[in-house]
Amino acid sequence: MASLLALPVLLAAVPALAADPAAPPVPAVAIKAAPVAELVNSVNIPYERFTLPNGLTVLVHTDRKAPVVALSVWYKVGSKNEPRGKTGFAHLFEHLMFNGSENAPDDFFGPLKEIGATDANGTTWFDRTNYYETVPKAALDRALMLESDRMGHLLGAVTQEKLDNQRGVVQNEKRQGDNAPFGLIEYEEYETLYPAGNPYHHTTIGSMADLDSASLDDVKGWFRDHYGPNNAVLVLAGDLDLATAKAKVEKWFGAIPAGPAVQPVSVPVPTLPAPIARTVQDRVATTRVYRMWAVPGLDNPDYLPLQVGGLILGGLASSRLDDALVRGAQIAVSASAHADIFAQGGQFVMEADVKPGADPAKVGAALDAQLTRLMTEGPTPDELARAATTFAAGEIRSLESVGGGGKAATLAEGLIYSGDPAHYRKELEAAAKLTPAAVRDALAKWMKRPVFALTVVPGERTSGGEARGGDAALPPAVAAPAAPVAVAATTADADRSKIPPAGDVPTLDFPAIERTSLKNGMKVVFARRSAVPIVSVRVSFDAGYAADPLGARGTTALLLRLMNEGTTSLDSSALARAKETLGASINGMGMPDSTAFELNALVPNLAPSLDLLADYVRHPALDPAELERVRAQQLSTIQSERTDPYSLASRVLYPAIYGPAHPYGYAPTGTGEADVVKKLTRADLAAFHARWLRPDRATITIVGDTTLADVVPLLEKSFGNWPSNRMAPPVKDFSAPIPAPTPRIVLIDRPGSPQSMILGGEVIAAKGTDDTVTLRTANDVLGGDFLSRMNTNLRETKGWSYGVASLINDRADRLLFMLYAPVQTDQTGPSITELRGEMTRYLGAKGTTPEETALATQGSARELPGAFETSGAVLDGVAKIETYKRPDDYFATLPARYRAMTPADLDAAARKTIDPSKLVWVVVGDAAKVKPQLDGLGLPVEVVKGD
């Protein structure tokens, strides 16, 4: 097939000025990438399968790269199975199944934290519910006991108190989503595309009324009808073999009786009777134009060409929508298209954020025109090849992890949705074989039907989401079919009188760090990870947002946007096409203390990918025409941050505590202020690039499936001839004094908000280069962990929030202690009271207990092997060693340090550093409802109007 060939892409030269005028232009080159078929052949997850007599299906994949095992349990029940009056039950029950079982009655995150579980969570969607965790191999029995106990021994532990608490948590999760900009759009989407009574008409989180009406008998009945082993798939992936897996699974799950089979649900793909056009108001910065259709799901082969068509139309960096609306006509600041595919349906969505001053009608017409063109002409073979390469590269990257969304989830999803654990492989092969005609015909078949055209304009909402998310037209509940005749258990039930031990603390096998330098002096740091054929490269410069000049905050962010729009040899579209041809991801990253450029490359394409990265970093075009376009994008981002509760609060908090003159004293996103960004010139950006992004300030960090000996010659070719800058190296200035704390509450009025966003912060007497391990462990006890005192209080006990936290940020210079608490509006004042109380108690008479110390330290030590499973995680770890000037064995020494910590150590670190009386609080919420709650807290309250 033409789409599978290694198509050479001629990268046309572009007449543009380089950031360094003396730099020689890079000639046009032909990039030859590995064929898609070669990439597909590298994707493989061998597995073995067995089924217990009770119907539990088990998949086992062996991966010895780290001493961890991922567990993933998928139940064939989701929100599409909910009857009338019970919307949100599947998701509510997901929460309840973390609140303890008959033989493990406490919150499941406790015993999981103790063994160092990573990627531990649960999710609910229309078609399934899943629970997953990655645990040290020695703790596998504990994880299997917990999963089997909530499958077979749950109901005795479900109490009215737990139900009431988790009902409150889920309702606050709903409020938090509704409160975000565009947070109500999913209601518009599902309620319009799917008629009432269709299982996809209502949202997974459900309606407030149905959640309020859930009785204890209701939820227990829901469990009996849906959570039997015969309705589940268990995947074990990691450092184990089939014999071990069989023995342990039979021990823990073999005696659980089968339950009623989950009944099939009919989900016809609806067609709107006529086009629907609607305009709604929301607290958003820019107008957004949508086009939406209901489309088939995984049960129809058309889903794949629809997904690939979405990539070509608006998913690739070189997509047609980007080229036409964003780069070409410049009537939108962003544009995209995608197919959201479920098991039995989905949505094809196009959207564009209208550039200020542009006509939304013209943007909508441009969306329509690009879709019509693709439906009429189909994609080019080159577009199809790049889309297939991108598709395959994404799958390869996801399979580096055994847990989370990696190998275990991939096998389970294939079996649950398509009846085949190896479906991922067939999907990749099918994607590689797609023809332009197949994509064209699928798009025409489904998108020539009536469209839902939605326009969201800035303004006050006319209603919220409290009364939405349900469906009164759903079929009523019916009795579940009888459970299968009981089969004799394969084994007597395991001893559940006590939770299995956590096992020994595993040895952290952090890869050896190797170092060298290129001929021009650029430092190279290397660590090998060979689990998948990818290599991650980060070229990091000692710059970051802290290097932005005081009067030019936002410079780094704008420079990075502009660098993504072409080099001296490649214009914006050609650069995007080159990355896609190689299956490479190249991104500029602005961080507080460093500016970095990260490449994630496929091993067969590493050499040309490094050449492309070097061109990107060394020879940015900084095209003046592109500057005006990306400036508009950054201004739109700034305005969007002023409509998002968390971003808005952060923009106020950081200058309030660091002081506006300090390098950290502005928006932590680095986007700056609009009046400054409007004035930045190309010369400003070129001068910043020349001054700060130079080889003598750079470190190249590489992690992946190669060797230092193999990669250094490639680096010499791409970066080794970069001449050193003769100017004296610049130094960031942290001399600006941090103002004396002025404790107060800044209330940003956001009328109609269903939640209040609370932030509190103070600058502490510690730097990122200091030893803060003990302090951060103490913070885990106070608010930094799910089981912390703060989260246990406001979420797990009172149900006022979906989740609260305290954190100590990462900065090379002075650090910030911050509290984060989105809470329901009527509990804003009481929540601040509780947070202050938790700090006072922890820093005073009720310091760290031995139990809290053991949980925080042992869990942190045991989670290290899982935390560094992927090359990306190792890359981040090595980069932190460099940025914060830590020894190479820093992570390897942590387990011993954790073992030696005492409650007194944690208390001393926290009491020395954290002072609740110095916190500045920022609250974003409805002032009419919130201010009376704040007036009695003993702090000055300043009310400012939100944007």
Side-chain angles (χ1 to χ4, degrees), residues 328-354:
Q330 298 192 17
I331 56 176
V333 292
S334 65
S336 64
H338 57 277
D340 292 326
I341 301 299
F342 310 152
Q344 297 171 269
Q347 298 82 241
F348 191 93
V349 180
M350 297 192 298
E351 61 186 77
D353 284 352
V354 179

Side-chain angles (χ1 to χ4, degrees), residues 142-448:
R142 176 178 290 199
L144 289 169
M145 183 270 184
L146 293 170
E147 289 292 356
S148 64
D149 217 58
R150 63 177 162 193
M151 179 186 286
H153 304 272
L154 183 80
L155 293 185
V158 179
T159 65
Q160 187 67 47
E161 180 183 5
K162 288 181 178 179
L163 171 60
D164 291 342
N165 169 263
Q166 290 305 311
R167 187 199 333 262
V169 172
V170 168
Q171 289 179 332
N172 276 301
E173 181 180 357
K174 176 179 168 71
R175 293 186 185 105
Q176 188 168 324
D178 293 349
N179 198 32
F182 301 103
L184 304 181
I185 300 308
E186 68 170 355
Y187 302 123
E188 299 287 344
E189 181 178 359
Y190 299 133
E191 292 170 5
T192 304
L193 294 179
Y194 298 97
N198 186 294
Y200 290 157
H201 176 84
H202 68 279
T203 61
T204 296
I205 207 162
S207 78
M208 288 292 196
D210 287 355
L211 291 169
D212 279 333
S213 70
S215 70
L216 194 59
D217 287 341
D218 287 336
V219 297
K220 288 186 175 183
W222 177 264
F223 175 80
R224 294 188 190 98
D225 290 348
H226 297 97
Y227 289 85
N230 48 315
N231 294 322
V233 171
L234 166 64
V235 184
L236 300 175
D239 191 9
L240 84 169
D241 54 30
L242 178 63
T244 302
K246 268 190 172 180
K248 291 184 181 294
V249 171
E250 288 175 353
K251 171 184 176 181
W252 292 109
F253 290 86
I256 301 173
V262 173
Q263 296 304 293
V265 174
S266 174
V267 189
V269 179
T271 297
L272 295 175
I276 296 176
R278 183 179 304 147
T279 298
V280 298
Q281 294 184 167
D282 198 359
R283 296 189 198 93
V284 296
T286 58
T287 295
R288 181 174 293 175
V289 177
Y290 291 92
R291 299 289 188 266
M292 305 179 188
W293 297 261
V295 296
L298 291 166
D299 56 350
N300 186 312
D302 282 350
Y303 87 88
L304 188 57
L306 290 174
Q307 280 191 319
V308 173
L311 272 175
I312 293 167
L313 185 63
L316 299 174
S318 66
S319 72
R320 294 193 175 192
L321 294 182
D322 259 321
D323 277 351
L325 280 72
V326 181
R327 296 187 181 98
Q330 298 192 17
I331 56 176
V333 292
S334 65
S336 64
H338 57 277
D340 292 326
I341 301 299
F342 310 152
Q344 297 171 269
Q347 298 82 241
F348 191 93
V349 180
M350 297 192 298
E351 61 186 77
D353 284 352
V354 179
K355 184 177 179 178
D359 182 356
K362 289 184 178 179
V363 173
L367 289 174
D368 299 336
Q370 289 304 313
L371 176 62
T372 298
R373 178 180 162 224
L374 189 58
M375 290 191 298
T376 303
E377 302 172 0
T380 67
D382 177 59
E383 285 177 315
L384 199 53
R386 287 186 282 111
T389 299
T390 301
F391 201 74
E395 187 69 26
I396 291 170
R397 292 183 178 104
S398 74
L399 298 184
E400 189 176 11
S401 173
V402 291
K407 293 180 179 180
T410 298
L411 293 173
E413 189 174 78
L415 184 55
I416 288 282
Y417 289 161
S418 305
D420 181 4
H423 175 72
Y424 70 94
R425 177 88 182 189
K426 295 176 180 176
E427 184 179 69
L428 285 173
E429 291 170 348
K433 293 176 182 177
L434 279 176
T435 64
V439 174
R440 177 199 66 204
D441 293 348
L443 290 171
K445 177 180 178 181
W446 295 101
M447 260 57 77
K448 285 187 176 180

Side-chain angles (χ1 to χ4, degrees), residues 3-56:
S3 60
L4 287 180
L5 297 177
L7 298 172
V9 178
L10 184 64
L11 307 177
V14 178
L17 295 173
D20 176 5
V26 178
V29 294
I31 287 183
K32 181 167 179 154
V36 180
E38 181 180 331
L39 303 180
V40 171
N41 287 336
S42 69
V43 181
N44 189 32
I45 317 174
Y47 70 91
E48 296 174 277
R49 174 176 179 171
F50 64 92
T51 303
L52 298 186
N54 61 12
L56 178 66

Side-chain angles (χ1 to χ4, degrees), residues 771-786:
D771 183 354
T772 60
V773 175
T774 306
L775 174 63
R776 292 177 188 276
T777 306
N779 181 65
D780 284 347
V781 175
L782 176 60
D785 185 78
F786 182 88

